[in-house]
Amino acid sequence: MTIITPPPVPMVEDSTAQEVRATVRSLLDARCTPAFRLEFVAGGEDFDNALWSALSRDLGLAGLLIPEDLGGAGASARESAAVVVELGRALAPVPYLSSAVVATTALVHCARNGSSAAADVVARLADGAIAALAVPATQSFGDGAEPTVRATNTGEETVVLTGTVKQVIGTADSLALVVPARRGDDLVLALVTADTPKVRATRRTNVDSTRPTRDLGLDEVSGTVIATGVEAGDAVATALETGAALLASEQVGICEWALAQATEYLTVRHQFGRPIGSYQTLRHRAAHLWIDINHARAAAIYAASTLADAVADHTIAAVLAQTYCGATALRVVEETIQMHGGIGFTWDHPLHLYLKRAFADTVVFGDAEVHKSTLARLIGLAEPTPNPVHV
């Protein structure tokens, strides 16, 4: 009997991903400083269009996940994850994750299945246009959420859409919206022009002001059908899974920045005539965080690599990465705020932005309980049941 061992999936960045990270970091270090982040959030804008243009057009990053025959770079989730790490490290106000990852993945899936309308939009996304998948920010690829938009036929390939979708990420300045809707007993995926007067986008007040969300209201809006039935469900699930897997890389970037800030502070802040980093308690806390971040980095790279290499357990890898990296990012930022002492709690220090992003990220694309239930189904275990609360 011949036993064939599959090639190992990388858990460290390759040279290409490292080059991508270095290029993106160089741009963000110059354009997205801590002072800029604080000022931008105070301004109330959704995205920095100039920064997005530099990333998407000048560096060509918007087309990484778009195949070459559809006008993109033909790269993989591995390279996109390298970009997302740096965007998370800088909290860059750009719609990369929502547009160049999630919406692009859904549209490429539809284009590959014969939708010319989806292919036309994909070509424009590669040049820096923005699109958004109209699902709640908290929707997971494993929860089977029912669409809140209803569709009625007006033609062979057109529908009229009515309904509301709450807390959608990345709708500002969008060229198009990809809207899942229920048409009778059938699921459809429709393409909608975002600037139509019958589309209302109301910005919400969120804990995390660095990633704004909007409530979408569709009032008899005309849409072009780009997928139906199982194909539509697969497009949405694939897009959300890819988003969840790469969100883990963003959380690693948050961890890296927070620990780097804390390490620097521990060396410059003196107490009783010596750097506070010389005290064993703080030194050991920083060391434990460094270990946790390395574990999170390996999980995030593995999740991106399984998508890039089309490994069979890519869904399990995405669930594990998101569950672990989400909790790690929140814990790391909380710890580093404590290490900064009083200054870490001030509004003038950007750490509070990272705390809010880390907190919000624990529910983006599904919270830990949803992911654990998904994992239980995937590996054939009974779903976890919550402990009863006795009053």
Side-chain angles (χ1 to χ4, degrees), residues 93-114:
V94 293
Y96 187 87
L97 188 63
S98 59
S99 179
V101 175
V102 176
T104 293
T105 299
L107 287 165
V108 167
H109 188 281
C110 296
R112 282 285 184 243
N113 284 281

Side-chain angles (χ1 to χ4, degrees), residues 59-80:
L59 296 184
L61 300 180
L64 285 182
L65 290 181
I66 299 175
E68 291 182 276
D69 61 319
L70 292 177
S76 71
R78 191 177 289 114
E79 291 74 35
S80 288

Side-chain angles (χ1 to χ4, degrees), residues 1-363:
M1 181 177 67
T2 302
I3 299 176
I4 300 176
T5 302
V9 178
M11 298 179 73
V12 295
E13 287 181 329
D14 59 17
S15 58
T16 302
Q18 291 172 354
E19 291 175 5
V20 170
R21 281 193 68 175
T23 301
V24 176
R25 181 177 295 191
S26 176
L27 173 65
L28 294 178
D29 282 348
R31 301 279 295 271
C32 196
T33 63
F36 167 83
R37 288 193 292 272
L38 290 167
E39 181 181 352
F40 187 85
V41 168
E45 297 293 327
D46 282 34
F47 305 131
D48 182 346
N49 292 323
L51 181 58
W52 174 242
S53 179
L55 288 165
S56 62
R57 297 176 186 175
D58 298 347
L59 296 184
L61 300 180
L64 285 182
L65 290 181
I66 299 175
E68 291 182 276
D69 61 319
L70 292 177
S76 71
R78 191 177 289 114
E79 291 74 35
S80 288
V83 175
V84 175
V85 170
E86 292 304 317
L87 296 179
R89 194 174 183 273
L91 287 192
V94 293
Y96 187 87
L97 188 63
S98 59
S99 179
V101 175
V102 176
T104 293
T105 299
L107 287 165
V108 167
H109 188 281
C110 296
R112 282 285 184 243
N113 284 281
S115 173
S116 58
D120 290 342
V121 175
V122 166
R124 298 183 66 179
L125 296 185
D127 292 331
I130 299 171
L133 180 62
V135 299
T138 56
Q139 182 169 325
S140 167
F141 56 89
D143 62 11
E146 179 69 14
T148 55
V149 176
R150 294 293 177 263
T152 56
N153 282 335
T154 58
E156 186 175 343
E157 295 183 353
T158 59
V159 290
V160 171
L161 304 170
T162 302
T164 301
V165 188
K166 294 185 178 296
Q167 289 188 302
V168 181
I169 297 174
T171 60
D173 301 320
S174 287
L175 164 72
L177 303 172
V178 183
V179 184
R182 180 64 65 184
R183 182 177 59 185
D185 295 331
D186 198 17
L187 177 67
V188 299
L189 206 55
L191 199 58
V192 172
T193 303
D195 60 358
T196 179
K198 294 183 179 181
V199 176
R200 303 180 311 277
T202 306
R203 180 163 170 164
R204 295 178 65 105
T205 300
N206 298 329
V207 170
D208 177 20
S209 56
T210 65
R211 175 174 282 150
T213 63
R214 293 174 182 261
D215 291 344
L216 291 181
L218 307 175
D219 183 14
E220 296 186 348
V221 175
S222 178
T224 302
V225 177
I226 58 176
T228 60
V230 175
E231 180 187 317
D234 288 346
V236 174
T238 301
L240 292 177
E241 180 186 330
T242 304
L246 268 61
L247 180 64
S249 293
E250 176 185 289
Q251 291 159 337
V252 170
I254 291 171
C255 291
E256 289 182 353
W257 185 89
L259 183 60
Q261 291 293 304
T263 302
E264 180 182 2
Y265 186 75
L266 294 179
T267 60
V268 299
R269 176 73 168 90
H270 284 63
Q271 194 171 57
F272 303 113
R274 54 190 289 196
I276 60 174
S278 65
Y279 292 101
Q280 190 176 67
T281 301
L282 290 174
R283 191 165 65 242
H284 284 189
R285 286 174 73 179
H288 283 299
L289 293 181
W290 182 85
I291 293 171
D292 290 342
I293 293 172
N294 277 277
H295 291 165
R297 183 182 297 110
I301 293 173
Y302 181 82
S305 297
T306 57
L307 288 174
D309 299 337
V311 177
D313 69 346
H314 57 84
T315 303
I316 294 176
V319 169
L320 291 174
Q322 188 45 234
T323 303
Y324 184 82
C325 294
T328 300
L330 184 57
R331 183 173 64 255
V332 167
V333 179
E334 289 174 340
E335 286 278 324
T336 52
I337 287 177
Q338 295 288 338
M339 290 178 183
H340 277 78
I343 193 174
F345 291 87
T346 65
W347 201 251
D348 293 332
H349 198 288
L351 265 172
H352 69 90
L353 298 179
Y354 286 82
L355 177 64
K356 293 169 184 175
R357 173 65 71 86
F359 178 75
D361 276 359
T362 60
V363 296

Side-chain angles (χ1 to χ4, degrees), residues 140-141 319-320 322-324 327 366-385:
S140 167
F141 56 89
V319 169
L320 291 174
Q322 188 45 234
T323 303
Y324 184 82
D367 61 21
E369 293 305 315
V370 170
H371 291 312
K372 289 174 183 177
S373 295
T374 300
L375 180 61
R377 291 195 299 272
L378 289 171
I379 63 178
L381 294 177
E383 292 190 24
T385 55

